[in-house]
């Protein structure tokens, strides 16, 4: 996984999530931003499978906040950042599972 690409996406996602405070509530926005910050720190320090595992927690938290009945929605301009981050995480998860099955 390309760390620089992931870090760039996380850096782009942070102001998007922070800007959602009015629609999702300040506390939820603060929690998501804190999770993003923690994930970013883990990505900076991590390698290999650890990167994918770190990203999975963030993707799950944001996904939960954007389930039907919740208020987190991404605009057409914001969606590409979120979709690319999800896609990288899904690919990494698939690669991890493929590696586990080889043993």
């Amino acid at each position: 996984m390309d760390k620089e690409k992931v870090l760039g996406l996380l850096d782009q996602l942070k102001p998007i999530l922070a800007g959602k405070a009015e629609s999702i509530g300040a506390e939820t926005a603060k929690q998501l931003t804190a999770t993003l910050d923690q994930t970013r720190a883990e990505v900076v320090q991590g390698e290999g499978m650890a990167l994918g595992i770190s990203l999975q927690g963030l993707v799950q938290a944001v996904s939960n906040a954007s389930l039907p009945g919740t208020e987190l929605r991404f605009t057409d301009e914001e969606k590409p950042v979120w979709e690319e981050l999800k896609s990288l995480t899904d690919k990494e998860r698939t690669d991890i599972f493929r590696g586990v099955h080889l043993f």
Side-chain angles (χ1 to χ4, degrees), residues 24-73:
I24 63 174
E27 188 60 35
T28 301
K30 184 177 178 180
Q31 289 172 348
L32 290 175
T33 302
T35 301
L36 188 146
D37 289 341
Q38 179 182 351
T39 301
R40 190 181 193 296
E42 291 171 1
V43 168
V44 167
Q45 296 175 5
E47 293 293 331
M49 285 188 352
L51 295 179
I53 292 168
S54 295
L55 288 176
Q56 287 177 19
L58 173 65
V59 168
Q60 186 64 48
V62 173
S63 293
N64 288 345
S66 60
L67 289 171
T70 60
E71 301 299 321
L72 179 59
R73 299 287 176 262

Side-chain angles (χ1 to χ4, degrees), residues 2-101:
D2 183 353
K3 278 174 99 166
E4 294 305 315
K5 184 174 189 168
V6 171
L7 291 172
L9 290 169
L10 293 174
D11 289 343
Q12 291 176 56
L13 187 59
K14 186 173 182 172
I16 292 170
L17 292 177
K20 302 292 182 185
E22 189 173 308
S23 63
I24 63 174
E27 188 60 35
T28 301
K30 184 177 178 180
Q31 289 172 348
L32 290 175
T33 302
T35 301
L36 188 146
D37 289 341
Q38 179 182 351
T39 301
R40 190 181 193 296
E42 291 171 1
V43 168
V44 167
Q45 296 175 5
E47 293 293 331
M49 285 188 352
L51 295 179
I53 292 168
S54 295
L55 288 176
Q56 287 177 19
L58 173 65
V59 168
Q60 186 64 48
V62 173
S63 293
N64 288 345
S66 60
L67 289 171
T70 60
E71 301 299 321
L72 179 59
R73 299 287 176 262
F74 293 103
T75 66
D76 290 342
E77 294 82 30
E78 298 165 343
K79 277 184 184 175
V81 173
W82 171 237
E83 293 297 328
E84 187 169 0
L85 188 61
K86 278 193 335 185
S87 175
L88 286 173
T89 304
D90 289 343
K91 182 186 178 315
E92 187 68 18
R93 181 176 41 239
T94 300
D95 291 348
I96 289 169
F97 286 135
R98 185 175 303 126
V100 168
H101 290 293

